Amino acid sequence: MSIAGWRVHFTRRELALPREVTPLVREFKAAIDTVLAEAAARGRRPTVTAVERFLDIPHATFHRRYADLIDARFRPRIPAPARPAIPREPSGPTYVRKPT
């Protein structure tokens, strides 16, 4: 924490607000779990935007006030992206044209 004039600047996000388990936080955790389950059922990758739409709150508000929920509960549970298929060499014979 640094003090410049009369303003206090927090240098680390987790120092700003201690997180208590309130009914609102429980609702957000349940929404995160629901979005993760729906994405898994559809075979899609879950996004933070889907959680925001589910809760009907603005993007900036969710990131400003609940970044700890995103980092601790949502991001670790996102599955890794699928790797693209590696092209293989043709398995059949290769025909080369003979010079005439």
Side-chain angles (χ1 to χ4, degrees):
M1 182 172 74
S2 65
I3 299 176
W6 56 272
R7 295 183 181 179
V8 177
H9 301 278
F10 289 98
T11 55
R12 300 175 77 192
R13 184 178 288 218
E14 61 267 10
L15 295 177
L17 294 171
R19 180 67 58 204
E20 295 179 15
V21 179
T22 62
L24 185 62
V25 172
R26 280 191 218 111
E27 180 182 343
F28 282 12
K29 288 180 178 182
I32 289 171
D33 294 340
T34 303
V35 168
L36 288 167
E38 286 177 2
R42 293 180 182 163
R44 301 198 56 141
R45 191 166 173 167
T47 62
V48 174
T49 305
V51 177
E52 294 162 354
R53 287 181 186 151
F54 186 86
L55 293 169
D56 195 31
I57 60 173
H59 176 77
T61 302
F62 192 63
H63 273 275
R64 189 178 309 122
R65 299 190 182 266
Y66 301 100
D68 57 333
L69 287 177
I70 296 168
D71 294 335
R73 188 161 185 103
F74 185 73
R75 285 200 179 118
R77 296 170 61 188
I78 296 176
R83 294 184 181 181
I86 300 172
R88 296 183 183 189
E89 294 293 323
S91 59
T94 305
Y95 297 100
V96 179
R97 189 174 185 180
K98 293 182 182 178
T100 55

